[in-house]
Amino acid sequence: MDLRIFTEPQQGATYDTLLTVAKATEDLGFDGFFRSDHYLRMGDVSGLPGPTDAWITLAGLARETERIRLGTLMTAATFRLPAVLAIQVAQVDQMSGGRVELGLGAGWFEEEHKAYGIPFPKEKFARLEEQLEIVTGLWATEAGKSFDFHGTYYDLTDSPALPKPAQRKVPVIIGGHGATRTPRLAARYADEFNIPFASVEDSARQFGRVRAAAEEAGRAADDLTYSNALVVCVGRDDQEVARRAEVIGRDVDELKANGLAGSPAEVVDKIARYAAIGSERLYLQTLDLHDLDQLELISTQVMPQLP
């Protein structure tokens, strides 16, 4: 079971804070550092000092880290033109020595689009499908050849399809709860399918849909990696768990029901339930970016007990 740290910088974080967390992520043995791609805070927080851009952040971290995987959960297709995104991700992959992964979603948070003047189209899912075809098609085009795409929303003619990533193939992550179109897209384009903030039971159902869609598309279901994203709140005792829950504005019982919360033993037991239904990777949503002690606790008392 891979454990990755997943951050939400739109809630309030500087680049220096993210760098500190990323370095701790690497030093403590986690597999990767991922971040959301949002420009507006959510809920009752100030969001100060303001948003950081996901791919600019990852470019910096690519030069400041050596081992961990780096990526987004999820970049919004509404934020960037697909060919520009392909260039950005390929460049960051080169800067990291081939450690980048692209989580790409349709985009959903209308308020942030309004706040920053970003168009929020109705036909988001169809645009996402074209973006996936373009991004993966540009990367897959042989050097010296050109790429063309003529779709409903995007039109590329005689693109040199450069630059290329350092990796032969940048892993693409697709996720969500949709019962039909999301599994179909994952079956066609994804290297990993991620379901965020879902119960064991709901995760099992969605993994089943994706596996069926992959087989229907002529692809082995086990070609994909299956993963979950879950909020984390771990403490050595009940008092520490309660303190950490209060800091992030959440209820302990709710966190235990819907996330990975409690003592290290409780969290290990919960992780085992996700592993039993096929989850191979967990993104630990870390909401208090100044609490590096929690990361150390997970590293020393949770990770060693995982298969």
Side-chain angles (χ1 to χ4, degrees):
M1 176 68 76
D2 291 337
L3 297 186
R4 294 177 169 182
I5 298 304
F6 170 35
T7 62
E8 301 277 3
Q10 76 278 355
Q11 300 300 89
T14 64
Y15 172 76
D16 286 341
T17 297
L18 295 172
L19 175 59
T20 298
V21 176
K23 284 183 171 292
T25 297
E26 184 157 89
D27 293 343
L28 292 170
F30 293 94
D31 181 62
F33 175 94
F34 277 62
R35 58 157 292 164
S36 60
D37 193 356
H38 285 295
Y39 293 128
L40 189 67
R41 56 103 179 100
M42 302 171 194
D44 188 23
V45 297
S46 69
L48 293 175
T52 50
D53 181 83
W55 287 102
I56 291 176
T57 297
L58 294 172
L61 298 180
R63 307 302 290 177
E64 298 278 1
T65 57
E66 297 178 355
R67 177 188 59 80
I68 51 174
R69 306 295 292 180
L70 301 167
T72 51
L73 286 183
M74 300 283 186
T75 285
T78 49
F79 287 175
R80 297 169 177 87
L81 296 171
V84 174
L85 178 63
I87 292 169
Q88 292 172 320
V89 176
Q91 185 176 5
V92 178
D93 194 52
Q94 292 172 359
M95 294 168 71
S96 72
R99 294 183 286 122
V100 159
E101 305 185 10
L102 170 63
L104 187 58
W108 62 271
F109 190 18
E110 185 173 4
E111 287 80 359
E112 73 184 334
H113 292 74
K114 292 178 178 177
Y116 285 95
I118 303 168
F120 189 70
K122 292 182 179 179
E123 64 289 341
K124 292 183 293 298
F125 202 91
R127 287 175 181 269
L128 170 62
E129 187 163 9
E130 288 195 8
Q131 286 223 358
L132 286 163
E133 186 168 350
I134 292 166
V135 171
T136 58
L138 287 167
W139 290 337
T141 299
E142 294 181 20
K145 295 187 177 181
S146 61
F147 176 82
D148 291 85
F149 179 87
H150 306 291
T152 302
Y153 307 104
Y154 305 103
D155 197 285
L156 285 72
T157 301
D158 199 25
S159 172
L162 296 172
K164 299 301 184 192
Q167 299 174 87
R168 183 188 62 81
K169 186 181 190 307
V170 171
V172 173
I173 306 168
I174 294 174
H177 297 258
T180 305
R181 293 189 298 176
T182 296
R184 177 178 58 80
L185 273 191
R188 183 173 179 185
Y189 295 106
D191 299 281
E192 177 180 336
F193 179 78
N194 176 268
I195 184 165
F197 316 120
S199 67
V200 173
E201 295 75 18
D202 288 344
S203 298
R205 279 190 290 271
Q206 188 70 333
F207 289 164
R209 294 183 187 115
V210 174
R211 296 179 72 89
E215 292 171 356
E216 185 177 342
R219 182 179 180 187
D222 288 341
D223 280 353
L224 285 85
T225 296
Y226 299 86
S227 66
N228 289 83
L230 296 163
V231 64
V232 67
C233 183
V234 188
R236 295 170 182 82
D237 52 38
D238 290 344
Q239 290 73 25
E240 192 168 73
V241 174
R243 177 180 62 78
R244 288 194 162 117
E246 183 178 8
V247 169
I248 63 174
R250 301 282 287 269
D251 176 77
V252 171
D253 290 338
E254 179 269 323
L255 285 169
K256 288 187 176 184
N258 299 314
L260 296 174
S263 68
E266 287 178 288
V267 169
V268 169
D269 287 346
K270 187 76 172 284
I271 290 174
R273 293 176 58 200
Y274 280 96
I277 55 96
S279 187
E280 303 161 80
R281 179 173 294 149
L282 292 176
Y283 295 82
L284 308 181
Q285 187 193 44
T286 305
L287 297 177
D288 182 359
L289 297 181
H290 300 287
D291 187 4
L292 300 183
D293 180 65
Q294 178 175 221
L295 300 188
E296 184 174 1
L297 178 63
I298 296 167
S299 172
T300 58
Q301 297 194 31
V302 174
M303 282 202 293
Q305 300 185 62
L306 302 179

